Amino acid sequence: DAGVIQSPRHEVTEMGQEVTLRCKPISGHDYLFWYRQTMMRGLELLIYFNNNVPIDDSGMPEDRFSAKMPNASFSTLKIQPSEPRDSAVYFCASSFSSSNTEAFFGQGTRLTVV
Amino acid sequence: GNSVTQMEGPVTLSEEAFLTINCTYTATGYPSLFWYVQYPGEGLQLLLKATKADDKGSNKGFEATYRKETTSFHLEKGSVQVSDSAVYFCALSAEGGKLIFGQGTELSVKP
């Protein structure tokens, strides 16, 4: 398996534009996590899914952020409209049957909003 | 609620020095505990884990013991190398599958 695949690796966009980040989890994994990493706030859990269903989205900062998982092999994180303070590295991770198993991380998407 | 607290960095050591990075947690139930490592420009990768009290996780010379009585999972290595320079994250996996990370500790090892 190629691991967790995220795209794009880098995204530069203007304030107010819509941004969509994509993630393909490892085949067979039933948990998918979206994290945001910044120098100021560290690694924050935004939302996670189990079997394609959102379980906890309490970390999603505002209504401008939304995430979907239409099937077991694909998830998106959308920011609309984007703001400069959304600039961060966004990671997707997946795991199999939660608590005792490790989560595998993608390489991340570095988002810059200017 | 569930949370993880790590010692603040950056930690700067000379090669072959002893490393300790402290991690304590707050959790309901019996979480699994993890240490992840992040090299520059990369995602996090699992370093070691422990799934129950008194378990010791180990990998690449790193060790950590799950101490329920002190709610701790400190990371140790007897002799660090320059290649160990990275950011280290302590994490717990709570009921319902939620994976919670500490704030990370940057380690810099000088030759």
Side-chain angles (χ1 to χ4, degrees), chain B:
Chain B
N2 299 312
S3 66
V4 177
T5 302
Q6 293 180 230
M7 65 185 283
E8 289 193 18
V11 174
T12 302
L13 296 173
S14 298
E15 206 164 23
E16 298 185 3
F18 185 86
L19 169 71
T20 300
I21 300 178
N22 291 337
C23 171
T24 57
Y25 68 90
T26 302
T28 55
Y30 302 96
S32 293
L33 301 175
F34 306 85
W35 277 100
Y36 282 79
V37 59
Q38 184 181 30
Y39 299 103
E42 298 184 12
L44 281 70
Q45 54 187 280
L46 181 71
L47 181 59
L48 54 84
K49 70 177 183 182
T51 58
K52 61 183 187 295
D54 299 325
D55 267 3
K56 177 186 283 188
S58 61
N59 185 26
K60 299 180 181 179
F62 291 89
E63 293 183 341
T65 301
Y66 190 148
R67 301 285 188 199
K68 190 169 182 293
E69 63 276 12
T70 55
T71 61
S72 65
F73 192 55
H74 304 321
L75 182 68
E76 296 181 337
K77 187 175 185 180
S79 176
V80 293
Q81 305 300 312
V82 173
S83 57
D84 293 327
S85 298
V87 181
Y88 292 82
F89 291 87
C90 186
L92 68 82
S93 181
E95 290 179 11
K98 194 168 184 175
L99 190 60
I100 298 168
F101 286 86
Q103 67 269 39
T105 302
E106 182 181 357
L107 170 66
S108 177
V109 180
K110 306 298 185 187

Side-chain angles (χ1 to χ4, degrees), chain A residues 5-13 18-24 34 74-77 88-92 106-112:
Chain A
I5 299 173
Q6 291 186 245
S7 65
R9 288 294 309 276
H10 302 274
E11 176 79 38
V12 180
T13 191
E18 177 180 297
V19 176
T20 299
L21 312 181
R22 296 173 175 79
C23 175
K24 177 178 166 51
W34 281 102
F74 185 64
S75 177
T76 60
L77 178 68
V89 181
Y90 291 81
F91 287 103
C92 176
Q107 296 277 66
T109 295
R110 180 173 294 277
L111 173 65
T112 303

